[in-house]
Amino acid sequence: MVSLAYIFPGQGAQYVGMGKDLYQNSPAARGVFEKADQILGFNLTDLCFNGPLDKLSQTINAQPAVLAVNIAGLQALQLQNQTLKPKLVAGLSLGEYSALVAAKSLSIEDSLVLVRKRAQLMSEASLKNPGKMAAIIGLSEQKVEEICRLSGSQIANLNSPGQIVVSGTNLEIENVVKLAGEKGAKRTVILKIEGPYHCHLMDQAAEGLGQELAKVEIAKPRVPIVANVTGACEDSPQEIKSNLKEQLTCKTLWEKSIHLMISQGITNFVEIGPGKVLKGLLRRIDQDLKVYNVEKTEDLDKLLN
């Protein structure tokens, strides 16, 4: 397979039972879950496999859980086929930490500690500055920017054509829903997420994460990583740290990131982790792209055959 990129989902992809098949059938994947339980000091594996969903979906748990499943899938894939090499890697929001692990820029151990702390900081900031996120379907970026100006909210994610997520206080998002309807949005969906991520309400969390990142070694990636906040390839460890901090308060440029990958000759994408959220986004960006999923061991056989 040529012109291949690995992409990793973020928070919101979680579901009860995720990763169980990998755990049962891949020693490499099982090792990731065991390591996560040991490092985090609680039974993350049981939470992934058995829930309950409301506890699994709490930010403090969802972020390390999705990370663990992403990395378990990556390890299972690498063990089964050591010749398969991506040309680029990227991850949506939280998924960027998995991409850094795939690029040998961040260790599995450090990624688990960092992401758990990131989730804690984001949860604390959400309690201090309550808010929501909403996906606006069917409006241009220009119209959504106008809605943000009128409501005081911020664009949080530019995911794909016609799907833009905004973030803000509860009142701001209520106004967003009203304004989006008035401006002709097909629909507006309030996301099932605890707080107003990727906006200025996460300033405190970003400062805390910056302090945590200062303690961690990030190496120059062996595979170029496309950063969320720039939509460009980054290989400077210091720039990567800066981007990870900035990611909490700035919009993620997922559509731009995918277009950059396409411009680099990427035609095949492997989504590694729970669900098929990214596959759906890529179809909206370019229907000609081929997207493979690695979520269970049977997916490995399909991919490699």
Side-chain angles (χ1 to χ4, degrees):
M1 188 180 292
V2 296
S3 302
L4 184 73
Y6 289 172
I7 53 175
F8 298 88
Q11 188 174 352
Q14 70 276 354
Y15 64 87
V16 174
M18 66 178 185
K20 189 172 183 178
D21 176 86
L22 289 168
Y23 179 93
Q24 292 174 334
N25 295 290
S26 169
R30 189 178 311 121
V32 173
F33 285 105
E34 291 171 350
K35 186 175 291 187
D37 290 347
Q38 180 182 10
I39 288 173
L40 299 177
F42 73 100
N43 198 334
L44 181 71
T45 300
D46 181 68
L47 185 59
C48 287
F49 298 171
N50 301 309
L53 181 60
D54 58 347
K55 185 176 180 181
L56 176 62
S57 295
Q58 292 171 1
T59 293
I60 193 71
N61 296 320
Q63 292 194 14
V66 170
L67 174 78
V69 176
N70 289 356
I71 297 174
L74 173 69
Q75 295 290 92
L77 175 59
Q78 289 177 334
L79 180 65
Q80 186 153 336
N81 190 315
Q82 297 177 11
T83 63
L84 199 64
K85 303 293 183 184
K87 183 178 177 181
L88 294 169
V89 295
L92 180 56
S93 189
L94 162 70
E96 194 161 309
Y97 290 80
S98 304
L100 287 166
V101 172
K104 306 293 185 185
S105 182
L106 182 64
S107 71
I108 296 175
E109 294 81 0
D110 284 342
S111 73
L112 287 162
V113 173
L114 258 182
V115 163
R116 177 72 168 179
K117 188 64 178 179
R118 177 184 190 264
Q120 179 184 337
L121 290 164
M122 292 171 73
S123 295
E124 290 170 354
S126 298
L127 289 173
K128 187 174 181 180
N129 301 300
K132 299 175 183 176
M133 300 178 76
I136 300 175
I137 311 299
L139 288 185
S140 67
E141 183 180 347
Q142 184 178 3
K143 285 190 176 181
V144 175
E145 284 176 345
E146 186 179 347
I147 288 171
C148 288
R149 283 195 298 272
L150 293 170
S151 64
S153 60
Q154 282 181 240
I155 291 179
N157 311 98
L158 291 169
N159 285 335
S160 66
Q163 186 187 115
I164 299 173
V165 178
V166 298
S167 192
T169 65
N170 293 327
L171 179 59
E172 288 167 355
I173 297 303
E174 286 177 19
N175 289 330
V176 164
V177 173
K178 180 182 176 183
L179 289 164
E182 292 173 356
K183 291 188 179 295
K186 291 181 180 178
R187 61 192 175 108
T188 304
V189 181
I190 304 296
L191 302 187
K192 294 179 180 179
I193 208 156
E194 289 178 17
Y197 304 151
H198 302 296
C199 77
H200 70 95
L201 296 172
M202 290 291 113
D203 282 346
Q204 181 179 335
E207 288 305 312
L209 182 60
Q211 294 171 17
E212 296 302 316
L213 285 163
K215 305 173 187 175
V216 173
E217 180 184 355
I218 289 185
K220 184 174 181 177
R222 297 184 190 177
V223 180
I225 181 166
V226 184
N228 277 216
V229 299
T230 63
C233 290
E234 305 288 357
D235 65 1
S236 160
Q238 200 53 48
E239 192 64 34
I240 289 169
K241 286 187 178 185
S242 176
N243 288 339
L244 291 175
K245 176 185 175 182
E246 194 175 346
Q247 190 203 84
L248 294 192
T249 56
C250 295
K251 59 182 174 238
T252 60
L253 306 178
W254 186 248
E255 184 181 350
K256 181 180 178 181
S257 297
I258 298 302
H259 280 302
L260 174 78
M261 292 176 152
I262 295 169
S263 75
Q264 297 290 315
I266 302 295
T267 55
N268 296 277
F269 292 80
V270 182
E271 179 178 2
I272 304 174
K276 295 178 174 61
V277 172
L278 300 183
K279 185 174 186 176
L281 295 179
L282 264 65
R283 279 179 172 167
R284 295 187 186 99
I285 294 169
D286 186 335
Q287 292 185 348
D288 292 331
L289 298 176
K290 293 181 180 178
V291 185
Y292 306 84
N293 288 88
V294 172
E295 187 175 6
K296 299 180 179 180
T297 46
E298 66 182 32
D299 297 327
L300 300 174
D301 296 330
K302 292 176 184 176
L303 172 65
L304 301 171
N305 291 328

